[in-house]
Amino acid sequence: MRFLTKNGIVRNLSIGCASMLMGLVVIGFTGPFIAAGDSFALFRPLAGVLLIPCAVVLLCLRARYFALSSTAVAIIAIGSIATSYAAPSEDCKGTCLTLYQKNLMSKAWPRYSLADDILESNAQIVTLQEVSSHNRQYMGNMFEHYPAKTICEFRPEQNVAILTTLPIVENSEFCLKGYGLVGVQVKAPGGGPIWVVSVHLNWPFPYKQSKQSQVIADRIKKLEGPVLIAGDFNMVPWGESVQRIAAAADNQSFGTILNTHNRGSWQVPLPIDNLLFPKGTTGTVELRPFMGSDHLGKLARIRIE
């Protein structure tokens, strides 16, 4: 009788744990309808992985219905993450385009090593967030190196920018002041014109990321031709805000899902610095060190098919 009582307690605890994890996954899918849903999407991979041992325990305890439900939700959770991005397929061959993405952190120090790293990468396009008078002063050699600069006001001392060595299509620059969006059309080497967009989203609910991402998506929908989107999204690639912006350009997240923020960890990674490139893009992406910022950089060498 004592064994049965203990067994029943373990069974109930396992069912409760599995139900909580399944609820967390389900709420994380409500982002398209409820802004708060995107805040829970962050925990989707952790909840999906934890549901697997829960399902094994429940099966051993003969709670077959909950074991099956846990397995199904785990597959959906992990599967949705796997299909939300395109892993780099091969080294860039032929005429390649190099893009360096970085949130500078407006008051970070030191600045010199980061400026040198961007210059040494030979990036033809640099997308930046949190551009301030501080880092413009201490990264002057980098800003002077790029002949074309498009900068747009976002928050005080946290502007978004695009630097490039490529020719700019005349009168193509645009800026959504206060919305963290700047864009310009450039002439790609060996190809036609392409749009480049730098994005900086606010934090998700209770902040206004959902509304901001919709305004940005509406603007991107108006662009004709291929679009390269890069930035600090403050949201994981499978979150609705990122997916909404990617869909506006018919793009897909590019690069492996790795933590890019210093507050993330292997248990709860924060892959919030994202590259959204046209489907079929090939090439590679490497993470660059923090170098004074709280965000890692991303260096992409790509070929747009």
Side-chain angles (χ1 to χ4, degrees):
M1 181 66 69
R2 184 179 300 171
F3 171 77
L4 291 175
T5 302
K6 288 182 178 179
N7 194 49
I9 293 174
V10 172
R11 188 177 189 274
N12 290 337
L13 286 174
S14 298
I15 290 173
C17 181
S19 298
M20 180 185 68
L21 291 171
M22 286 189 287
L24 195 61
V25 171
V26 171
I27 294 172
F29 278 103
T30 63
F33 316 103
I34 305 172
D38 249 9
S39 298
F40 288 91
L42 169 65
F43 303 101
R44 191 184 302 172
L46 180 62
V49 170
L50 291 177
L51 277 169
I52 296 174
C54 280
V56 174
V57 172
L58 288 167
L59 187 62
C60 294
L61 293 172
R62 297 184 179 180
R64 295 184 179 87
Y65 172 78
F66 283 99
L68 181 61
S69 299
S70 298
T71 302
V73 174
I75 292 172
I76 293 171
I78 297 171
S80 68
I81 295 168
T83 58
S84 69
Y85 75 101
S89 56
E90 59 185 10
D91 289 340
C92 183
K93 298 177 181 179
T95 303
C96 301
L97 186 64
T98 305
L99 182 149
Y100 197 121
Q101 153 59 27
K102 183 73 172 182
N103 180 317
L104 296 178
M105 191 174 181
S106 58
K107 295 183 179 180
W109 183 266
R111 303 281 75 196
Y112 303 113
S113 61
L114 175 54
D116 291 342
D117 189 64
I118 293 174
L119 290 173
E120 290 169 7
S121 73
N122 293 317
Q124 298 147 298
I125 299 170
V126 182
T127 53
L128 303 172
Q129 298 79 46
E130 296 199 25
V131 175
S132 65
S133 55
H134 173 90
N135 51 47
R136 289 198 68 174
Q137 177 184 355
Y138 291 101
M139 300 177 76
N141 60 328
M142 181 196 72
F143 282 92
E144 290 173 5
H145 172 77
Y146 286 91
K149 293 173 273 290
T150 305
I151 302 176
C152 182
E153 292 183 23
F154 180 33
R155 298 188 290 245
E157 289 294 305
Q158 291 191 8
N159 299 326
V160 288
I162 298 170
L163 314 181
T164 183
T165 57
L166 299 174
I168 286 180
V169 176
E170 188 176 0
N171 298 322
S172 64
E173 301 98 325
F174 67 90
C175 160
L176 285 188
K177 185 177 179 180
Y179 281 95
L181 177 68
V182 66
V184 65
Q185 194 174 38
V186 300
K187 297 178 181 178
I194 58 171
W195 288 98
V196 181
V197 173
S198 177
V199 174
H200 192 183
L201 294 185
N202 293 309
W203 285 101
F205 183 87
Y207 300 95
K208 298 180 180 180
Q209 184 186 102
S210 180
K211 179 181 178 181
Q212 180 191 8
S213 68
Q214 186 61 65
V215 172
I216 289 174
D218 290 342
R219 181 64 182 87
I220 289 175
K221 282 180 183 178
K222 298 177 181 179
L223 303 179
E224 296 183 1
V227 186
L228 301 178
I229 307 171
D232 172 11
F233 288 77
N234 280 313
M235 177 49 61
V236 292
W238 55 89
E240 176 59 25
S241 293
V242 179
Q243 293 290 302
R244 179 182 291 133
I245 292 172
D250 195 26
N251 284 7
Q252 191 171 21
S253 295
F254 188 82
T256 53
I257 297 177
L258 296 173
N259 180 62
T260 61
H261 195 273
N262 65 358
R263 291 186 181 178
S265 64
W266 67 269
Q267 299 99 328
V268 184
L270 291 173
I272 59 177
D273 298 86
N274 298 299
L275 306 175
L276 308 179
F277 293 161
K279 295 173 182 177
T281 298
T282 58
T284 60
V285 178
E286 66 173 288
L287 293 179
R288 302 303 301 153
F290 290 106
M291 287 182 284
S293 176
D294 53 351
H295 290 253
L296 293 172
K298 279 190 170 182
L299 178 60
R301 295 183 176 89
I302 61 171
R303 177 184 175 88
I304 302 174
E305 299 297 329

